[in-house]
Structure formats: structure tokens, C-alpha cells
Amino acid sequence: MAYPDGLLGSDEYVVVHKHPHWKMLILPVLVLFVVVGGGFYLAALAASTSWQLPLWIGLGVIGAVLIAWWTLAPLVRWRTTHFVVTTHRLMVREGVFTRTGIDIPMSRINSVRFRHGLLDRILGCGTLVVESASDEPLEFDDIPQVERVHTLLYREVNDDPRDDWDYRAREDG
């Protein structure tokens, strides 16, 4: 089931649906490993003290807060961020408790470009830059397969139904 089926028009369908690239999760996973490893190390040190139970409880609470703040929150943020290209518009939805979104009709998009450095090229992601009727171009970072998304979005922007074979067949027949 493609996101966001409930928001699509009757003749609209999803062309591309992406979450940000997984590279956004590298730092949160590293934090998880450091907090868990450091917590076990400190718990082992606390085992030889007479205050071991209160220290273990304190380490557990601090570790849980750090993991929730630096690992779980970015994971949920990543999972609830959607970059969607449909046949009629470009949609971006972000957020968990406070949702934000932007819709750009295909007819308002003037140009589409992308950029990615060496690391982004190795990982297969990049930044998509969309110029529309607004003053400033919109930049969407960490788009997976940015070149493919760029090409598909460009095709949708420049798609003329009169160029479609089915349309010509209907007109001729």
C-alpha cells in the first residue's frame, strides 16, 4: 500500500515514495552502541561498591533517556518522513507529533536538479533541488537514488498527455 492513498485524487497515483537515506541513522546507532557499552562498563565498575543497586538504577535511567533522545527519536523521525512524487504533485511530509507538509503541483515546478558529493555517490543518495514558483529553491537532503528520483520527477513535470501513445490512439480512433 503506497503512502498516502487517502490524500490522492481519483486519477492520481504514486510514482516515487522514499524515506530519507539510511545514512541519517549512522550517528544514532553509534550512540546506541556507545551508551550500551559504556553503561555495561560503568555497571561492572559499580558492582564492587556498596551502592551498586542505586548506581545501576541511575545508569539505567540515564541510559534509557540517552537512547530515547539520541537513537529512538531520530529513528521515528526518519520513519515518519515521506518524500512522494505523484502524477500531479510533489509531497513532503515530516514529523511525529507536529506534522508539517508541503505540496507542489507539477505545473508549478520550473526546474529540477540534484547534487551529491563523493560520499553521497558511494552511498547512493544526494540532495534534490526543486525550483518552483516560490522565491527560493527547495532543497531535499538525503534522498535515496537521487538521480533516479530526479529523472522520474523531471519526466512527470514535462509529461504532456499529448505525447502519450494511448492519448494519440484515442484521438486518432
Side-chain angles (χ1 to χ4, degrees), residues 22 38 52 92 98-99 103 106 111 118 126 160:
W22 57 263
Q52 83 182 34
V92 178
T98 303
R99 297 280 295 165
D103 289 12
M106 290 296 172
S111 71
L118 181 61
D160 186 354

Side-chain angles (χ1 to χ4, degrees), residues 72-149:
L72 293 179
L75 177 65
V76 171
R77 195 170 24 255
W78 171 81
R79 187 70 183 128
T80 59
T81 299
H82 300 272
F83 180 85
V84 182
V85 177
T86 71
T87 52
H88 298 302
R89 58 191 162 154
L90 166 69
M91 296 186 288
V92 178
R93 301 286 188 265
E94 297 176 312
V96 179
F97 300 113
T98 303
R99 297 280 295 165
T100 60
I102 184 170
D103 289 12
I104 305 171
M106 290 296 172
S107 60
R108 300 283 176 129
I109 296 175
N110 298 330
S111 71
V112 181
R113 55 191 166 100
F114 70 92
R115 70 172 175 269
H116 50 168
L118 181 61
L119 181 61
D120 285 343
R121 289 177 67 191
I122 291 170
L123 294 175
C125 64
T127 300
L128 190 69
V129 181
V130 177
E131 292 184 27
S132 64
S134 66
D135 294 335
E136 304 256 341
L138 299 171
E139 294 190 7
F140 304 102
D141 296 323
D142 298 325
I143 302 294
Q145 301 173 328
V146 70
E147 290 185 57
R148 180 177 176 273
V149 173

